[in-house]
Amino acid sequence: MPLGSIGKYNFWSEKFWLPPNQTWEGVESPLFSDFQYGIFVSIVLSIMRILLCNYVFAPLGLRNGLRYRQVKRVPHNPQFEEYYLKNKRPSLSDIRILSKKFDISEVQISDWFRRKRNSAKFHVIVKFVESGLLHFSIQDFAVMFSHHVFTVTLIVFSFLTNNFRIGSVIMLLHDAADFWLEAAKMLKYVGRFRLCMFCFATFILVWILTRLYYFPVW
């Protein structure tokens, strides 16, 4: 039984994986040395990211009125810290229980939790820079990280099967709408709402054309 076969089905069927009239014998095996270009590109992109962050997007945000706000230091309280990990917004009854348990006024407890929540919030200018870099924030880290893992896996697979040309086209179609959405976010952060709505409308149009028409039909 051929490797990858399950019963009468062959996982590596040429009819499924390859274009018409193509066989695995005609697929050129990728060279390991080709991966060195990926390392070089990743280094260049990392340097570009630092330069864009410090010398383009951050100054642009400051120029448009965004500021790095000063966050007051929250007094360390092990008991509250432990409770905060379970519930960041305690109810009034919970605050009363904590007040009696630790002999601290309800006002002080409410103030501590409020300041703790505020200290964990991102500055608007940080969100502005992240949008400019097409970067995901910590709130959706798990979702976006898994998304990027699958994306990299598909890229590597398309390269190993010598389908990187069609893979590049698919990447282009899927990424064509992203920067319009991030541009809309950036404009919203600086209060340019008309331009924000224009970019968001363009994002919807491009997304529909690329994801629902060109990708499955064209």
Side-chain angles (χ1 to χ4, degrees):
M1 181 181 294
L3 182 64
S5 297
I6 302 176
K8 63 179 180 179
Y9 299 102
N10 183 10
F11 178 79
W12 297 107
S13 172
E14 295 168 344
K15 293 182 179 180
F16 179 79
W17 292 108
L18 301 179
N21 302 321
Q22 294 289 327
T23 63
W24 287 113
E25 287 74 14
V27 176
E28 297 180 4
S29 300
L31 300 176
F32 182 78
S33 59
D34 292 338
F35 286 97
Q36 66 183 342
Y37 299 108
I39 298 175
F40 173 75
V41 171
S42 65
I43 294 174
V44 172
L45 290 178
S46 298
I47 295 174
M48 288 180 60
R49 183 185 187 280
I50 296 173
L51 294 176
L52 287 172
C53 176
N54 294 325
Y55 298 103
V56 178
F57 294 118
L60 184 62
L62 294 172
R63 186 175 180 180
N64 282 273
L66 301 180
R67 294 291 181 269
Y68 289 101
R69 61 183 177 86
Q70 294 183 348
V71 180
K72 294 182 179 180
R73 182 177 176 274
V74 181
H76 180 66
N77 189 310
Q79 293 84 4
F80 290 173
E81 294 283 355
E82 182 180 356
Y83 189 89
Y84 180 82
L85 295 175
K86 301 176 182 178
N87 184 6
K88 295 179 174 57
R89 294 182 178 274
S91 62
L92 182 59
S93 59
D94 293 332
I95 292 176
R96 288 174 178 171
I97 293 174
L98 292 173
S99 176
K100 293 179 180 179
K101 183 177 180 179
F102 300 112
D103 193 24
I104 301 176
S105 69
E106 296 178 11
V107 174
Q108 289 177 306
I109 296 175
S110 298
D111 181 66
W112 188 93
F113 277 91
R114 178 183 59 80
R115 292 171 61 182
K116 184 67 176 179
R117 289 194 300 269
N118 289 338
S119 66
K121 291 181 179 179
F122 284 93
H123 300 174
V124 176
I125 191 170
V126 174
K127 296 180 180 179
F128 179 86
V129 173
E130 286 181 346
S131 295
L133 297 171
L134 299 179
H135 184 62
F136 55 91
S137 61
I138 195 67
Q139 290 95 332
D140 54 3
F141 177 82
V143 175
M144 294 305 297
F145 181 79
S146 60
H147 162 75
H148 283 79
V149 168
F150 287 120
T151 301
V152 172
T153 302
L154 289 173
I155 292 173
V156 173
F157 185 78
S158 67
F159 177 76
L160 293 177
T161 57
N162 205 29
N163 287 308
F164 57 89
R165 292 181 178 84
I166 186 62
S168 300
V169 174
I170 292 174
M171 285 184 61
L172 177 63
L173 290 176
H174 280 73
D175 292 343
D178 289 353
F179 69 89
W180 289 105
L181 178 61
E182 300 304 326
K185 291 181 181 179
M186 296 175 71
L187 291 167
K188 178 180 180 295
Y189 293 143
V190 297
R192 307 295 178 87
F193 295 108
R194 289 186 178 180
L195 288 175
C196 170
M197 293 306 297
F198 171 78
C199 288
F200 188 71
T202 305
F203 159 74
I204 295 175
L205 178 62
V206 174
W207 192 93
I208 292 174
L209 288 175
T210 55
R211 303 290 183 93
L212 302 182
Y213 176 69
Y214 284 110
F215 176 63
V217 178
W218 190 42

